[in-house]
Amino acid sequence: MSDTPFGFGLPPEEPDDGDEGKKKDQQSGGGQGPANPFGFGFPGAGGPGADNPLAAMFGSMNPNDLGAAFQQLGQMLSYEGGPVNWDMAKQIARQTVSQGAPDGSKDSSVGPGERSGVEEAVRLADLWLDDATSLPSGAGSAVAWSRAEWVEATLPVWKELVDPVAERVGAAMGDVLPEEMQAMAGPLIGMMRSMGGAMFGTQIGQAVGVLAGEVFGSTDIGLPLGPAGRAALLPVNIEAFGKDLGVPKEEVRLYLALREAAHQRLFAHVPWLRSHLFGAVEGYARGIKVDTAKLEDVVGQLDPSNPEQLQDALQQGMFQPEDTPAQKAALARLETALALVEGWVDAVVHAAAKPRLSSADALRETLRRRRASGGPAEQTFATLIGLELRPRRLRDASRLWASLTDARGVDGRDALWAHPDMLPTASDLDDPDGFVHREHMDFSELDKMLGEAAGGSAEKPNLTKDEDKKDDEKGDGAE
C-alpha cells in the first residue's frame, strides 16, 4: 500500500487476498465465516460461535488446530497489561475492517484523486464557514483515510474513553471474593482480569471496526477521535453513503467536509472543550455500579473448559449506573455537552451550506436521522460502558443556537464558548427561547467587556482569555 498518511498497510488478509482467506477458513473447518487473527469467531462475523469468541475457539474446530487454539488461549490468560487488551482490540478492529461493511462495500487504499478531492473539499468548506462562525479555521491539514487508517488513528482516543470503565470492572472481579479468600484465589483473580482484558478488547475491537465502516470523518460521534488540527474524511464511506441519495457526489463530500471542518474549529479554538467532554465521560464512569451479584455468580460457576461465561456477562452488561443525584448529574452534563457540540455544528453548517447547496436541507435531515438511529457499534459501546448517548437533544440544541444567532449575531453566539459555565444547561435545551431572552442583556454587557479587553484589536477575540471572568458570569443564569 503506497501513499498512506501514516505509512502502514492494510490488514494482513486484504479483500484482494480473498481466495487465500477462503482456503484458510476451509482448513480450519469453519467454512461459514471469515477467518480472524485468533482463529475464532466474534460478534457479527457469522459462523459457529460467532456470538462468542471463546466458545468458537473449541467448537467446530479441526483437531489439528487444537494446539494453536490452546496456545492462543494461554496468551490471552497471560496478558498483564491494562484493563483492556488493546493489542487484541486493534487486531480485531483491523480484521473486521478487512471483511467489509454490512452494505457490501470493501476497504481500499486512498488514491491520489480521492486525496486531492478531500483536500479541495475541506479548503472550500473552510472558506464557506468563515461567513457562518467567528471561530477561525482549526484544520491545519486535510487527509483522506481508508477505514484501516481510521482505526489506527482513533484507537488512542478510544483507549482514553474506555479504560476508566474497564478498570472499575476489572477491580470488581477481585472484590467479589471475601478478603480472606483473595490471597488464596490470587491465580484465579489474575486469570479473570486477563480474560476480562481480552473480552473487552474483543468487544471494543469489534465496535471500532464496525464504526470504521460507518463514519465519514474523525468527529462523527461528537468527540475528537483523531489527531488535533487534522480534518479527515473517508472517501469509501462517503461514496457508499451517497450512492442512493440522488445527490451529486461532490455535494455530499462537500457537506460532510463542512461538518468535519466545523468540528475542527470548535475543538481547536475552545481549548477547554475536549477535557470537559472527556472529564464528563470519566465522571460518569466513576459512578458506575458493578453488579457484584452477577459477578459472584460468574466466579462461582467458572469452569476452565467453559471460559466464555465471562464473555456472556460482558455482552449482557455487568454494571448499571447508580440511581443517585451525582450520577444523574454526570450523565446530564455529558449528554448536554455532546448535544451542544452537535447542535452548534448542525446550525453553523446549515447556515454555510443553505445558500450554496441545493441539497443542503435533504442532507441535513438525512444525517440527523442517521445520527438518531445509531448503529450496532454504538449499541455495543452502550452495553460495554453503560452509557447511551441521546442524540434526540441534537434538534433542541440546534434550535437554541439558531435562536441565539438571530438574537445576538454570529459573534455573540460563539462567545458562549468562552467558558463552560456560560453554556446552556439541559433545562435550557427544553426552553431555548427562554434562555435566549433571559440572557440577552447580560450577553450584550459581555460583548462590551470583551471589546475592552481586546483593546480595539482588529483580530477576533481570543475566547480563552475570558476564563478569568468566571466568577462574574456566575449568577447570570447560564448554569
Side-chain angles (χ1 to χ4, degrees):
M1 180 176 177
S2 59
D3 300 326
T4 56
F6 295 93
F8 49 75
L10 291 173
E13 294 183 355
E14 290 300 310
D16 292 339
D17 298 331
D19 291 338
E20 183 65 23
K22 291 179 182 178
K23 292 178 183 178
K24 293 180 180 179
D25 188 60
Q26 291 168 357
Q27 292 171 359
S28 68
Q32 301 181 40
N36 69 55
F38 307 100
F40 53 87
F42 47 86
D51 292 334
N52 197 310
L54 290 176
M57 182 180 290
F58 298 99
S60 300
M61 179 175 290
N62 189 311
N64 294 332
D65 293 335
L66 281 176
F70 279 112
Q71 182 180 6
Q72 291 159 0
L73 178 59
Q75 293 173 352
M76 184 185 300
L77 297 181
S78 64
Y79 172 72
E80 296 180 352
V84 177
N85 188 331
W86 287 103
D87 289 337
M88 180 175 289
K90 177 179 176 179
Q91 293 182 59
I92 290 290
R94 293 286 295 257
Q95 183 64 26
T96 303
V97 164
S98 73
Q99 293 165 356
D103 62 8
S105 60
K106 300 290 185 179
D107 195 21
S108 60
S109 303
V110 178
E114 292 173 322
R115 186 174 295 108
S116 62
V118 166
E119 292 172 351
E120 176 61 22
V122 172
R123 185 194 66 80
L124 183 57
D126 259 335
L127 288 177
W128 289 5
L129 288 172
D130 284 340
D131 296 332
T133 175
S134 62
L135 300 180
S137 174
S141 61
V143 294
W145 283 341
S146 67
R147 292 167 180 168
E149 290 166 343
W150 183 89
V151 168
E152 294 279 354
T154 62
L155 271 180
V157 179
W158 289 114
K159 185 177 188 297
E160 188 175 349
L161 283 170
V162 175
D163 270 352
V165 179
E167 181 68 41
R168 290 187 59 81
V169 176
M173 290 179 179
D175 295 340
V176 296
L177 293 176
E179 185 175 354
E180 60 273 12
M181 294 180 60
Q182 290 188 17
M184 299 175 58
L188 175 61
I189 294 174
M191 182 184 72
M192 290 185 61
R193 286 177 175 170
S194 296
M195 289 176 59
M199 294 309 140
F200 262 109
T202 299
Q203 293 294 297
I204 291 298
Q206 171 70 6
V208 171
V210 173
L211 269 178
E214 300 174 353
V215 297
F216 305 125
S218 67
T219 56
D220 290 57
I221 66 170
L223 297 171
L225 297 178
R230 181 175 296 173
L233 293 177
L234 281 71
V236 64
N237 290 354
I238 294 175
E239 183 174 357
F241 170 69
K243 183 172 56 177
D244 300 323
L245 293 181
V247 177
K249 175 182 176 180
E250 292 73 16
E251 288 195 19
V252 175
R253 181 172 58 199
L254 182 52
Y255 192 88
L256 295 173
L258 282 165
R259 289 184 53 82
E260 177 74 6
H263 277 103
Q264 293 292 337
R265 288 185 180 225
L266 195 58
F267 288 116
H269 299 289
V270 183
W272 55 263
L273 182 57
R274 187 184 189 280
S275 60
H276 179 72
L277 289 170
F278 282 70
V281 174
E282 187 173 353
Y284 181 83
R286 284 196 300 267
I288 287 175
K289 177 182 179 181
V290 176
D291 188 344
T292 55
K294 185 176 293 186
L295 274 175
E296 288 173 358
D297 183 65
V298 171
V299 172
Q301 300 182 28
L302 185 62
D303 182 350
S305 66
N306 188 28
E308 67 272 9
Q309 292 175 5
L310 181 58
Q311 168 77 2
D312 293 336
L314 276 172
Q315 290 178 330
Q316 296 168 9
M318 292 193 300
F319 40 82
Q320 59 185 15
E322 291 181 346
D323 189 17
T324 65
Q327 184 68 355
K328 289 180 179 178
L331 179 59
R333 283 194 300 271
L334 178 58
E335 291 177 342
T336 301
L338 287 172
L340 291 174
V341 169
E342 291 293 282
W344 183 88
V345 168
D346 181 75
V348 167
V349 167
H350 184 68
K354 177 69 173 176
R356 300 175 174 95
L357 293 178
S358 59
S359 58
D361 287 334
L363 288 171
R364 183 191 201 189
E365 186 60 27
T366 299
L367 288 169
R368 278 180 165 183
R369 292 181 178 179
R370 187 177 188 270
R371 181 78 172 89
S373 63
E378 291 173 315
Q379 293 166 8
T380 298
F381 185 71
T383 299
L384 284 172
I385 70 170
L387 173 64
E388 186 169 346
L389 306 179
R390 298 181 183 177
R392 62 181 176 81
R393 306 298 286 174
L394 164 63
R395 294 179 186 269
D396 298 332
S398 183
R399 283 194 293 268
L400 185 146
W401 290 118
S403 297
L404 284 169
T405 306
D406 293 340
R408 301 192 59 248
V410 168
D411 290 345
R413 176 201 66 199
D414 292 346
L416 277 174
W417 292 106
H419 195 276
D421 286 351
M422 299 171 61
L423 291 177
T425 63
S427 60
D428 293 323
L429 293 180
D430 296 328
D431 182 20
D433 291 335
F435 176 81
V436 171
H437 296 151
R438 184 174 70 249
E439 295 293 329
H440 183 72
M441 293 304 297
D442 292 334
F443 287 158
S444 298
E445 182 64 23
L446 176 62
D447 282 341
K448 179 180 178 181
M449 295 169 63
L450 287 173
E452 293 173 353
S457 172
E459 297 182 358
K460 295 174 182 176
N462 183 350
L463 299 183
T464 62
K465 294 182 179 179
D466 195 55
E467 291 193 16
D468 59 343
K469 300 185 181 67
K470 174 181 177 181
D471 293 336
D472 295 333
E473 299 305 329
K474 289 183 176 179
D476 288 343
E479 182 72 357

